[in-house]
Amino acid sequence: MTDHVHDLRSVREATDRLLTAVAKLDNAALSEQSHLPDWTRGHILAHLARNADALVNVLEGRPMYESASARDADIERDSGRPLEEHLADLRDSGARFLATGEPAQDWSRTVELRNGVTDLAANVPFRRLVEVELHHVDLNIGYELSDLPDEFTGREIDFLADRWSARPEVPPTALVADDGRHWRTGSAGDPAVTVSGTAAGLLAWLAGRGDKGASLTASGGPLPELPPL
């Protein structure tokens, strides 16, 4: 059972780490390229702020975004702001999200996210944690996948391995981390391929980040090609 209280606390801690790191930048750094194609660091910060507000909408029963085009326009509009405005927006939007999670509510209810995707309300705090942690890495400011909390890495691998399960284009695949943890993903059947490496390396591959599997070892066949997230 997802512990939304624990996850909300983790969101607060991850947001504090992000704000501390971003506060060390300057305006010029925000216009530099992030790890994400076509996005500057300013684009990522704008997305993180608007995502917090979007998840407030989800928890309060409104559409996550007005539309896909409105979402993209908001990110583009806010991406070029000076550092102090980004920091204030990140702080305020993050606080609004956390405040929405404080009151007693039915965490077992089903909520709707983007593109018709549904989930339990109790999983929304972890979804926000994923946004904050992975996009902190995407900023390309020294926070790496290997710096992510171990518990988070394992849970995000759980989520992504499940996402690629039952996908006919992904062969049955066993995932083995060098710390002994293991998962499986891909289509049904006995795993044809075993992919092994560090947990951070497995996460990079599953999430389409970092070296995208270059540090991993595949046995029983080539490293499977995953669909885009």
Side-chain angles (χ1 to χ4, degrees):
M1 187 67 151
T2 301
D3 183 349
H4 67 274
V5 174
H6 169 79
D7 288 345
L8 286 167
R9 183 166 59 249
S10 296
V11 169
R12 186 183 301 278
E13 293 167 355
T15 301
D16 287 345
R17 283 195 297 274
L18 174 69
L19 287 167
T20 298
V22 172
K24 297 175 183 177
L25 303 178
D26 56 26
N27 290 331
L30 297 185
S31 63
E32 294 173 354
Q33 180 62 39
S34 72
H35 282 314
L36 297 182
D38 303 321
W39 268 18
T40 65
R41 295 185 177 113
H43 283 90
I44 289 179
L45 298 180
H47 164 62
L48 279 169
R50 300 290 67 79
N51 171 264
D53 287 337
L55 291 177
V56 169
N57 289 338
V58 168
L59 289 176
E60 294 184 343
R62 296 186 296 273
M64 186 169 180
Y65 293 101
E66 179 183 330
S67 66
S69 59
R71 169 189 176 273
D72 294 345
D74 286 347
I75 293 170
E76 192 62 40
R77 178 198 67 210
D78 294 342
S79 63
R81 297 176 303 180
L83 176 63
E84 288 307 314
E85 290 185 26
H86 275 296
L87 285 170
D89 196 12
L90 281 169
R91 253 189 244 101
D92 293 347
S93 59
R96 286 192 293 271
F97 173 76
L98 291 170
T100 304
E102 288 176 357
Q105 54 192 285
D106 178 10
W107 288 98
S108 67
R109 71 190 187 280
T110 298
V111 296
E112 184 171 345
L113 296 113
R114 292 180 68 197
N115 303 320
V117 173
T118 60
D119 203 349
L120 295 180
N123 292 332
V124 171
F126 184 70
R127 285 182 175 270
R128 176 59 182 172
L129 182 61
V130 170
E131 294 287 328
V132 175
E133 289 285 34
L134 289 189
H135 284 318
H136 190 166
V137 173
D138 292 334
L139 282 171
N140 188 20
I141 56 176
Y143 190 65
E144 306 294 340
L145 288 167
S146 57
D147 296 320
L148 294 167
D150 192 55
E151 179 200 13
F152 169 82
T153 298
R155 287 180 65 189
E156 181 61 356
I157 293 174
D158 283 341
F159 175 81
L160 292 171
D162 183 66
R163 179 168 184 161
W164 303 132
S165 292
R167 295 289 292 264
E169 67 269 44
V170 181
T173 303
L175 310 175
V176 181
D178 56 10
D179 60 11
R181 288 179 290 177
H182 54 86
W183 302 262
R184 66 148 295 147
T185 193
S187 50
D190 294 333
V193 180
T194 297
V195 177
S196 56
T198 65
L202 291 170
L203 177 57
W205 173 60
L206 290 166
R209 284 170 162 84
D211 62 14
K212 297 182 175 66
S215 63
L216 302 176
T217 300
S219 58
L223 184 73
E225 185 173 341
L226 299 175
L229 281 172

